[in-house]
Amino acid sequence: MELCNLFFITSPMKLKHSYPNLKTQAHSVKCLADTNRRLKLAESLQYETFRILEWPSVCNQVSSFTATSMGTSAARDGLVPIGRSPEESRRLLNQTSAAFALPFPLDFSGIEDVSDIIESSVALEEDFSQIGKNCNFLTDLEQKIEYCIDSKFSTILDRASEDLEIIRSERKSNMEDLDSLLKDISTKIFLAGGIDKPLVTKRRSRMCVGIRASHKSLLPNGVVLDVSSSGATYFMEPKEAVDLNNMEVRLSNAERVEEQAILGLLTSEISQSESEINYLLDRVLEVDFAIARAAHARWINGVCPLICGSGSVDIEGPNTGGKTASMKTLGLASIMLKAGMYLPATNQPTLPWFDLILADIGDHQSLEQSLSTFSGHLSRICKMLEVTSKQSLILIDEIGSGTDPSEGVALSTSMLEYVKDRVNLAVTTTHYADLSLLKENNSQYENAAMEFSLETLQPTYKILWGSTGESNALTIAKSIGFDEKIVERAQTWVKRLMPDKAEKRKGLLYQSLMEEKNRLEIQANKAADIYSNTMTLYNEIRDEADDLVGREAALKAKETQKIQKEIATVKSQLEKIVEDFEARIRSASIDQLNTLLKESESAISSIVECHKNAEESSVIKTDRSTLKVKLGDQVIVTGLGNKQATIVEPPGTTDGTALVQYGKIRVRVNLNTITPLPNADIIQIANSKSNVKKQGGTRRIKSLKNLSEGSNSETVSYGPVLQTSKNTVDLRGMRVEEASHNLNLAINITGSNSVLFVIHGMGTGVVKECALQILKKHPRVVKFEQDGPTNYGCTVAYIK
């Protein structure tokens, strides 16, 4: 048997309540304040004890047997009624027994009159029927509510008042006329092509019909109540419906006023019966809890306990496991007794009634209050002793533990001596063998030990009364596989550490502490060396990193200078080609124009191709970890099958990723998987150079270009189809006229051989249809590609 002692301290004195009489101390403000403080402290400790003893779990079990929502809510919140006196606890037990004796469980879900429940209970048990006394069931009020409001409490019935019935009858007739009129008008509009299908709806609390904006003339003198988001549909009130709509508004307001008057009368009567209703609800809740306790008793196969008037304890319930579990079982059973609940026992248990059940179980260490485990225990026990009375139950787990054993034994002994004369029953657990000697000098102490099977190394869940037990720690350690040398050395120490050799034990303890101190100092020195070496390596790496930053900056500067030089070279070459072309064109014949034009285009293409190859080579060789892209840049993403995407979020400073958009899909990709598209600066230089030339020369080149196009069947190149803010026109949210004007303007100002992105959205399709018609008919539009899976709501047009 493992030494797990339990001490039961009982007092032979007669039970009586020790709380002071506040009326006799009313003259002393100080005493009153002190009493209030103690009551608040007692309430706080009691609440914490209920949590420690897992009373909320029991309440949650009871909640599953309640029949009303308020009963379920109260039980889940831990508000199962607890008797505040022995008489009140007996009354709760009698109610549970009466509910337990019912031949069938009562169902509250379909009962509207609570009196039926009370009447069925009266026939079984007088104590149970006491709940229904002095209850006013307010049958007159119930009948009024049933007469005025439907069973779901969602609709006021027509019969609630004569005026309401007349108003609703007139409103129904008026609505039938209005609905018939609007349906006829909407059908005529449909037949005239003014709407896709007849539409009768309500706008701004008035009935109306839908009609295309282009057919508004079909409703002369009609009132426009609303317009669709696209502006294509008007919601109009025909002039023939104005009077009927006005009547509907008046009748609707009159009905609302009458309903408010009816509800006001019912509310007034309910408020006048507030106290009776609350009293009745309390009684219903009391019955619900009584039936729930009885159902819980059946579920645990419980028996009704007896409340004794002395301090003796007869525990004959199921065997518990472990010393802490034994204390918790006793504390929880005491709470259940106060709440009028049956206990899971084989015989009828007898327990005293306790005004306070206070427990110190578990770890009370607090960082916030700077409390160690030992200090936390002492602080709680001190508060418990301050509020306890003769009728209280004290439960202390591992009393005096967490400090020097000799001081712990002395303090525990002193506390037990103090407690035994102030409470009726106290239960403590300890591993201190010295405390078991207290029974030899005082019969108020009782020893008990928890049995432990050495064969199975499991507790047997039995309490051995009158036994102090023996410690089996070394036997258990050996059984579970500890090294035999460790166990043998421990047995040697056990023989040495006898009570009469306390001084020697202290010396050995001091020596052990000094050895531990020296060992920790050696470890601290090793840790300091490791830290020093780590910091040295860190500084070396940081210096290398700083140097890398400088080298990277120099490399970028050199690369920038190289690119600028290359751009200047290309610009010079293009200018020379243009100058040569203009000089030769002045003396060229008509037959030589095509040849001259092709030669110039070939020369420009070779320069562009050369630059493109150099740029691609540069991109391939560039370390992508230093890739610089900005918002809106076009890139090729390897992870998307080498698809073109747009940068929508620049790369972060540390993660090496960027957010790109491909069609409607946004995805974060690694910089190593993206390649920027070639820069268009060279082509832009050529275009700008041509633009600054003389108007005559420009006009001649343009006419030659047209001549070449007329005689050349080669496909015109529009360049990469890349969407930017300059080649995009957004028509979303515009009316048809506005969208048509903006699209025509965008086509006219778009450069030759260019692409134009037309964003028309999806919506009702009116704007999209208008845009497609313009693109089909406009002379500058060669072709266009409608929106698809990757560009919803956007059409791409190719401009001559």
Side-chain angles (χ1 to χ4, degrees), residues 182-197:
L182 293 178
K183 284 182 178 178
D184 291 341
I185 295 176
S186 183
T187 301
K188 293 178 181 178
I189 294 173
F190 167 69
L191 295 176
I195 195 70
D196 293 336
K197 60 181 180 179

Side-chain angles (χ1 to χ4, degrees), residues 121-396:
S121 304
V122 171
L124 292 171
E125 183 66 42
E126 181 178 358
D127 288 323
F128 196 35
S129 67
Q130 292 295 324
I131 299 175
K133 284 189 175 182
N134 302 323
C135 284
N136 180 3
F137 293 105
L138 304 171
T139 54
D140 293 340
L141 179 58
E142 177 191 3
Q143 292 173 359
K144 287 182 181 180
I145 295 175
E146 289 180 348
Y147 185 81
C148 295
I149 302 178
D150 68 341
S151 58
K152 296 182 179 179
F153 296 99
S154 59
T155 305
I156 300 177
L157 301 176
D158 295 350
R159 66 190 183 191
S161 74
E162 183 178 354
D163 291 343
L164 181 62
E165 187 173 8
I166 295 174
I167 292 172
R168 287 182 174 175
S169 177
E170 293 179 358
R171 186 182 180 190
K172 179 180 179 182
S173 176
N174 184 73
M175 279 300 298
E176 290 175 352
D177 296 341
L178 180 58
D179 186 63
S180 177
L181 173 64
L182 293 178
K183 284 182 178 178
D184 291 341
I185 295 176
S186 183
T187 301
K188 293 178 181 178
I189 294 173
F190 167 69
L191 295 176
I195 195 70
D196 293 336
K197 60 181 180 179
L199 174 61
V200 177
T201 183
K202 179 180 284 189
R203 289 291 189 276
R204 293 163 55 181
S205 302
R206 300 180 73 86
M207 300 299 295
C208 58
V209 296
I211 186 172
R212 286 194 177 98
S214 58
H215 291 69
K216 177 183 176 184
S217 59
L218 293 176
L219 295 177
N221 299 323
V223 180
V224 178
L225 299 179
D226 198 2
V227 182
S228 66
S229 59
S230 65
T233 304
Y234 283 6
F235 300 98
M236 298 184 64
E237 179 184 6
K239 65 178 181 178
E240 297 86 352
V242 172
D243 292 339
L244 294 175
N245 262 327
N246 291 339
M247 178 61 71
E248 164 62 17
V249 172
R250 288 194 296 269
L251 291 175
S252 176
N253 292 336
E255 180 182 5
R256 189 180 304 109
V257 171
E258 185 63 20
E259 288 177 346
Q260 292 295 329
I262 294 170
L263 292 176
L265 291 175
L266 293 177
T267 302
S268 177
E269 293 196 25
I270 292 173
S271 63
Q272 293 175 7
S273 305
E274 178 185 6
S275 59
E276 291 86 351
I277 294 174
N278 288 334
Y279 183 80
L280 187 59
L281 288 176
D282 289 342
R283 301 292 74 75
V284 171
L285 186 60
E286 193 173 354
V287 174
D288 191 14
F289 273 134
I291 297 174
R293 292 195 301 268
H296 181 268
R298 292 189 184 92
W299 181 60
I300 64 174
N301 196 23
V303 295
C304 182
L306 294 178
I307 299 177
C308 65
S310 64
S312 62
V313 179
D314 184 15
I315 300 176
E316 298 182 10
N319 294 322
T320 56
K323 58 189 188 316
T324 303
S326 299
M327 284 203 307
K328 282 190 172 183
T329 300
L330 175 60
L332 192 57
S334 300
I335 300 174
M336 294 174 67
L337 174 82
K338 295 183 66 176
M341 298 180 66
Y342 281 23
L343 303 180
T346 54
N347 300 316
Q348 189 173 40
T350 302
L351 287 172
W353 187 91
F354 302 107
D355 61 347
L356 287 176
I357 301 170
L358 305 174
D360 176 61
I361 301 174
D363 188 1
H364 298 287
Q365 185 175 9
S366 172
L367 295 177
E368 182 180 357
Q369 300 180 12
S370 301
L371 292 177
S372 64
T373 299
F374 178 71
S375 300
H377 280 292
L378 286 187
S379 176
R380 181 171 178 82
I381 294 173
C382 179
K383 295 176 181 177
M384 289 166 53
L385 297 180
E386 183 179 354
V387 301
T388 191
S389 72
K390 262 299 182 183
Q391 290 181 285
S392 300
L393 170 63
I394 299 294
L395 305 172
I396 303 177

Side-chain angles (χ1 to χ4, degrees), residues 548-564 623 625-628:
L548 285 176
V549 173
R551 283 185 289 173
E552 180 184 5
L555 183 61
K556 286 182 179 179
K558 182 178 179 181
E559 194 67 22
T560 301
Q561 185 178 8
K562 178 181 178 182
I563 293 174
Q564 291 176 346
D623 183 5
S625 63
T626 62
L627 188 65
K628 300 297 183 180

